[in-house]
Amino acid sequence: MTTAAALSFNNLTTMTVSIEHHIAHIQLSRPDKLNSMVPAFWQELPSVVRSIDEHSAARVIVISAQGKHFSAGMDLSVFENMAKDFSGEPARRAERLRRMVFELQDSFNALETVRMPVLAAVHGGAIGGAVDMLSACCSRYCTQEAFFCIKETQIGMTADLGTLQRLPHIMPHGLVRELAYTGRNLSADEALRCGFVNQVFSDPIALLEGVMSIAKAIAANSPMAVHGCKDMITYARDHSVADSLNHMATWQAGMFQMPDVHTAIQAQKERKPPQFDELHTRFSRL
Amino acid sequence: MTTAAALSFNNLTTMTVSIEHHIAHIQLSRPDKLNSMVPAFWQELPSVVRSIDEHSAARVIVISAQGKHFSAGMDLSVFENMAKDFSGEPARRAERLRRMVFELQDSFNALETVRMPVLAAVHGGAIGGAVDMLSACCSRYCTQEAFFCIKETQIGMTADLGTLQRLPHIMPHGLVRELAYTGRNLSADEALRCGFVNQVFSDPIALLEGVMSIAKAIAANSPMAVHGCKDMITYARDHSVADSLNHMATWQAGMFQMPDVHTAIQAQKERKPPQFDELHTRFSRL
Amino acid sequence: MTTAAALSFNNLTTMTVSIEHHIAHIQLSRPDKLNSMVPAFWQELPSVVRSIDEHSAARVIVISAQGKHFSAGMDLSVFENMAKDFSGEPARRAERLRRMVFELQDSFNALETVRMPVLAAVHGGAIGGAVDMLSACCSRYCTQEAFFCIKETQIGMTADLGTLQRLPHIMPHGLVRELAYTGRNLSADEALRCGFVNQVFSDPIALLEGVMSIAKAIAANSPMAVHGCKDMITYARDHSVADSLNHMATWQAGMFQMPDVHTAIQAQKERKPPQFDELHTRFSRL
Amino acid sequence: MTTAAALSFNNLTTMTVSIEHHIAHIQLSRPDKLNSMVPAFWQELPSVVRSIDEHSAARVIVISAQGKHFSAGMDLSVFENMAKDFSGEPARRAERLRRMVFELQDSFNALETVRMPVLAAVHGGAIGGAVDMLSACCSRYCTQEAFFCIKETQIGMTADLGTLQRLPHIMPHGLVRELAYTGRNLSADEALRCGFVNQVFSDPIALLEGVMSIAKAIAANSPMAVHGCKDMITYARDHSVADSLNHMATWQAGMFQMPDVHTAIQAQKERKPPQFDELHTRFSRL
Amino acid sequence: MTTAAALSFNNLTTMTVSIEHHIAHIQLSRPDKLNSMVPAFWQELPSVVRSIDEHSAARVIVISAQGKHFSAGMDLSVFENMAKDFSGEPARRAERLRRMVFELQDSFNALETVRMPVLAAVHGGAIGGAVDMLSACCSRYCTQEAFFCIKETQIGMTADLGTLQRLPHIMPHGLVRELAYTGRNLSADEALRCGFVNQVFSDPIALLEGVMSIAKAIAANSPMAVHGCKDMITYARDHSVADSLNHMATWQAGMFQMPDVHTAIQAQKERKPPQFDELHTRFSRL
Amino acid sequence: MTTAAALSFNNLTTMTVSIEHHIAHIQLSRPDKLNSMVPAFWQELPSVVRSIDEHSAARVIVISAQGKHFSAGMDLSVFENMAKDFSGEPARRAERLRRMVFELQDSFNALETVRMPVLAAVHGGAIGGAVDMLSACCSRYCTQEAFFCIKETQIGMTADLGTLQRLPHIMPHGLVRELAYTGRNLSADEALRCGFVNQVFSDPIALLEGVMSIAKAIAANSPMAVHGCKDMITYARDHSVADSLNHMATWQAGMFQMPDVHTAIQAQKERKPPQFDELHTRFSRL
């Protein structure tokens, strides 16, 4: 049923991946290090996400974490490496830094450009870079004790990996600004009220159960229809409604086809789950 | 007081229209068919809305529905007609479909481009195409038992008539995505919390009373001032603040004039309702 | 510690300014006139804000008001002056009005372009132009009895100084539209629920204490980091995420430097407050 | 071969239409009135263009004119009608004028949104509104004695039907500005040098022959491929390259199909003209 | 006839200003220093331009230069001042530099935002910052021996005051890039062919005569109509055609009025020059 | 002097690469196959370009071709592979095609995103995909007998790899449209007149000599300054002038530094070529 076997998710050091029933589950797996984002993480995350997109039968991705906290954000080793390298002619150093930021941002962009939805299940703290990552997910869910923190401001720098770019589309601006300027924690309750998370669960087990049940509902739908939803909503965030309606119609011209509609309607009549084709992988050879 | 008599709203088959005290009331009128959107609906809605805009003294439009549900969305007959016609050279079929989507989208765009506000009063279910329509209204109100559903995903297609383009501007993205990917129902309570509806009423009678009272408050204001508000808020959604401020100032250059201000201030002094001129119809002959 | 002494805030007639502990406090000071916005106000506000930006050690600005109400908005004398001047060839009058609107808008734009955050503490009524002003602040806080009102619609004109341009980015569109079309009051409770204010306090004293405590938390952070947050969030509101990520990386190329990070981390280790350099003033001479 | 018979082009008063060999030829037909744009013109042009688009086998449109001049632009009767109607409360008059400008602009927008290319063949003068019209055509060709003039400036108004919006995309800005500010004539030679026209012919007969020969070359290609080119180039003018590439790929997903490619390649092998299917008309019934 | 007397253009050190017959003539007046851009220049230029806009009867501005060359661009003293000041914490230094660039850019932006057209008459060399300035003018004219040079690249920096932002809208991109990457001279002939200048004259006297004659033609038109052209063309450069048409119609709603049209038509009938009202200055008192 | 040795350009099958004196020279190397774009080409081009960017000392890239023609565009084998694969459920096939187009477009996007300028030297024919590629280069140069052709239209499809997106920014729209709709050849003379190429040379030897001499002039400048020019001009094409000026100032904050300016000025004083540091490669390890 899944092609996980065919995918080389064995040598990962910062996360584990399993794919079952069309749901890919990525778990941050350095609990004793608070799942901090070490250099390997920045390579593994986009590579894993793109592999799932290209080669698997997954129709939705769930991200959660092992241990007490979701993630402490950027590992200090990254800063230390950078500090060592922070020398030379200042214009070239600045240009190098600019490209490094682009590269790190791209690791999280992968969550946005992958064709299937990405749901995040958060317990404990999600700090600094973790908020950048969560902002690039489709929807967020958390436990009662979870908290979120734009920590970067408190260590003397401006968060640069997506938080300040995506949060203003996700929660009220007045609150985004307070959180960013102060670097204070956002509690689960506040996160629910402001729309940053969709639902709050009592504990990590209830959380994962709840999120998996939503993932299951998504995986039961046509992956083409769901992919279209994701592409359209992201597009709408960044374009005018007129442009977005044009994009919708142009997309639909090729992507609306009868087979999935027939499958869905037939299954509803017969009261059994519909069986949709997978999303296609690439053309065999360019 | 109204020009309803002069307007030919007699031959409508999917809705009724009445205009009183500057309020136009459109009611979906196929309750036994769940107000599903048959071919006639797609012609009548924009035609009715544009007639109200051009020829009536209405200053606000209220949309409600007869029967148990607001609307079941697209009527299956539309899909069936389409299926019959879904043949021929595939590029030309795709191009034809693209234009059909544009045409359907335009039916709802009319709600956005009409000069007066459009308030929606929803009871029962608002399914599929009904959510597209509600997204193009200015403000939404509902009863306690109402629910909303992006049903398209569950029948194997991506909703294409405005829902995915406009909802991200109306409610938190994380929730929009969950609703679109799963196709689940949104309850009245959730709709209120997330800002999709402004207010929840106990039952259809209280709902219509409540919405009419808001409509009345709007109709008491200068229709020029209100039209400006509508144009500005829609413009702001699709442009930067800098562009929107420019649009505002350019608009105001011609649209701010003393007569309405005098009328309003004088009426406040005399503690009686102000009498404003109607919005103008077109230049007599081009 | 502050350079307030060096700044000429003595001749102000519509507000007072004090700067302490890196916090600039602007207070509207015509309580018996409901802090209405007289001609002098429109000159003093941007001038004060730009002076604080250029010449002071302030890292955050708090705006509050003396008396029973925050502000009654535009003073009638402005309209009366305008009415006197509202003559001559109508095209040129319109052009002149357009530029006057630009000029008034610019007074509030100053709140957005100043490098440090601006927090508003509101008690009593904030009417008409006051809502335009509050929309240009970073975050808003209020007392339980506070209320907000887009009064312009009720006096026959379209609000033109930022409310209709900025509110749709701050609270749900459906509510913005109802408030603008009707001109009704928004209560503190509703303002909190919809995200217009971040927090509601019991009374003016608790309010100012609460806001000052948030201001203090902001002032304790690196002013460079905080300035970056403000620039990024405002930029993100008006641009696509892709453009905003590019802006972020380009900014960071020059603005990420080690000294502030070292200062912050060192201070955390030593558990004492970090001492950051001030934001720079201009190059000595162009 | 053509469906002209089926189209009601008989009652036109300002232009004639003929459709042959997939080429629709629109000729302005009030030569003794210098083809000035009377009220009927503004209705007939978009109506004719949309009919050709929907109901004919035309794959390209050529616009030319009878008599000594291409067109003298807006007929004075339009101004006179407007002057008569230029009364009433000034805000409402301004709003009415705004909508009238939209309506007139839309007449020329039809040239841009019709699916097939529009080529203009100009001899004699093209004045005022004629330049607005030509700017909305795909390509322009003229005779040696032709000239172009943004006359509006010299009669005390700003040209408002597309010239100032489209010319900056068609010829160097420095020249556009001089022409607009002075209202002077642009000669055929200058028009060729600056790229406003593609080619200059010796006389009206050579002109029409030359343009028809280009039209013939266009009509020999797949109308789907040509329609795609038109949509893409117009889209690219108004969007970033990144957005335009996305639009291209999304379009191509549905619009690239093998039949036309096979037809074209087979025809080239057999050295005979390819026979492509027509563009489709609408879905039979919505 | 002119209000030059009332304007204090006496204390200028880097340019002279005269206003006659509705034409303001700014001349760079440090010929022995090659009209290099010293600190005073950056203050005087925008101040002069805004004064002309606000207080004079000028309807067009002509910029020329005394001496052998138009301008050698940025004076070395500016770099030297900057070098002295180029110290301190590097993030704050970078932020300060960013604001300095904004301020310098604004000096040239004034040429674009002033209501009346700005024509540049260039003889000799226009180097570095001079090209930035010329790019912000409406139209450019030059003598046969004139040349233009993006010198900045050859002194190790990227030109930052508008050249790279505006030239791609003025001349073909392929040429802009070659000029910017190499820093080579652009001759008058090449400048004419690529559309950077509108016309080439034999010598400085013919040049000024020619440009003044164009300025005179502009000044004979309604200043409202001309101002509208300038605003529209600049707007069209930066927006989509759809947005620009909307801006046009919104502008026209207030700015189209009968008096100027009557004046123009009457004058044409009577074959004498029309007498238009001046552009208005500001509302007497805010 | 160059690091070409360290770069693995040995196994290329469709092009050769040499790097000397800071100039990378890419030559299409399948002359007997008319340098048609086979599957390997689409992988090698972006890979080569990115390697040059990351690992070499090149400051400019020159692209030319061996044999009689520059390139015949897409190799038929690509279409044949695609035709074999053009099956399955049509929505998924469309989605797969969309991604394939993105992937092919990205091969040419690499020319635009690489930090150093790319100059194209064209002799003989440049057909179909070759025009897409040339449109993504910075500047184009050709021989007298060269010609360019948007061939796709004549084989029944819309060109989809950048031609229709980038040409409208490079040459007049009226001509772009004629070329795209007809698929006719553009001669060298026409290409020069319309600005598509910067210069025409008598023969391939003169061409390469001429282009190399321009490349040399570029390579003599600071690579940071040149990189800034490239980034700014591309940015300006896709953004408003206001946004582009902001990007410029933000870039300059980090990228303007004294060392290159000192080097350049010192070298000019000493009349010897300046020696600039190379562009930096990435941070050692993320």
Side-chain angles (χ1 to χ4, degrees), chain A residues 234-252:
Chain A
T234 305
Y235 194 95
R237 178 193 65 193
D238 292 329
H239 295 83
S240 69
V241 166
D243 271 2
S244 300
L245 288 170
N246 184 354
H247 183 58
M248 176 77 252
T250 309
W251 168 283
Q252 201 73 320

Side-chain angles (χ1 to χ4, degrees), chain C residues 41-62:
Chain C
F41 167 84
W42 298 100
Q43 308 303 328
E44 290 180 6
L45 182 71
S47 154
V48 156
V49 167
R50 289 189 183 117
S51 282
I52 293 171
D53 193 17
E54 291 299 331
H55 305 299
S56 84
R59 297 177 181 178
V60 57
I61 297 172
V62 172

Side-chain angles (χ1 to χ4, degrees), chain D residues 184-217:
Chain D
R184 76 161 169 89
N185 289 348
L186 177 79
S187 72
D189 277 352
E190 241 182 325
L192 179 64
R193 268 205 312 278
C194 76
F196 182 62
V197 303
N198 285 8
Q199 215 176 325
V200 174
F201 295 87
S202 57
D203 59 76
I205 291 171
L207 168 71
L208 206 56
E209 221 173 77
V211 174
M212 281 297 168
S213 138
I214 293 167
K216 213 167 145 185

Side-chain angles (χ1 to χ4, degrees), chain C residues 247-263:
Chain C
H247 183 58
M248 176 77 252
T250 309
W251 167 283
Q252 201 73 319
M255 307 310 179
F256 177 87
Q257 300 288 349
M258 288 297 170
D260 280 10
V261 177
H262 283 161
T263 299

